[in-house]
Amino acid sequence: MLVLTRKRNQGIMLGDRIKITVLEVKDDTVKIGIDAPGDVTILRSELYQAVREENATAAAGDGNAAELLKDFLAGQGEKR
């Protein structure tokens, strides 16, 4: 991990398109501003981790969803 020391209103660049600025430091909280293009996904790390775990759980599922979809699609074909 790269560790940088910044003061209020100082920033860092991630590549050419993303700028992170320290807006406020108070007690043990840091308020940051992020300037990034709209196509860049920005998530709090705890939310990112929760989504990642949910996706892993869904991918390791028991296959019931695939079987239900297969049965549904098979039933649709019979109606035609």
Side-chain angles (χ1 to χ4, degrees):
M1 173 188 302
L2 173 65
V3 179
L4 300 172
T5 301
R6 303 278 61 203
K7 295 179 180 178
R8 188 168 33 133
N9 296 322
Q10 291 182 332
I12 60 172
M13 294 296 299
L14 301 178
D16 294 333
R17 303 185 324 147
I18 302 170
K19 181 180 181 182
I20 299 173
T21 304
V22 176
L23 300 175
E24 180 180 311
V25 179
K26 185 176 180 182
D27 299 325
D28 63 346
T29 303
V30 177
K31 184 182 290 185
I32 59 172
I34 303 170
D35 292 313
D39 64 332
V40 174
T41 302
I42 301 171
L43 297 173
R44 290 180 175 88
S45 60
E46 61 272 18
L47 179 58
Y48 174 81
Q49 187 63 34
V51 169
R52 189 173 176 186
E53 289 173 8
E54 187 65 31
N55 287 341
T57 300
D62 58 8
N64 284 342
E67 287 300 319
L68 290 171
L69 180 60
K70 183 178 173 182
D71 291 345
F72 174 77
L73 293 175
Q76 291 295 313
E78 293 172 3
K79 291 180 180 178
R80 294 182 185 179

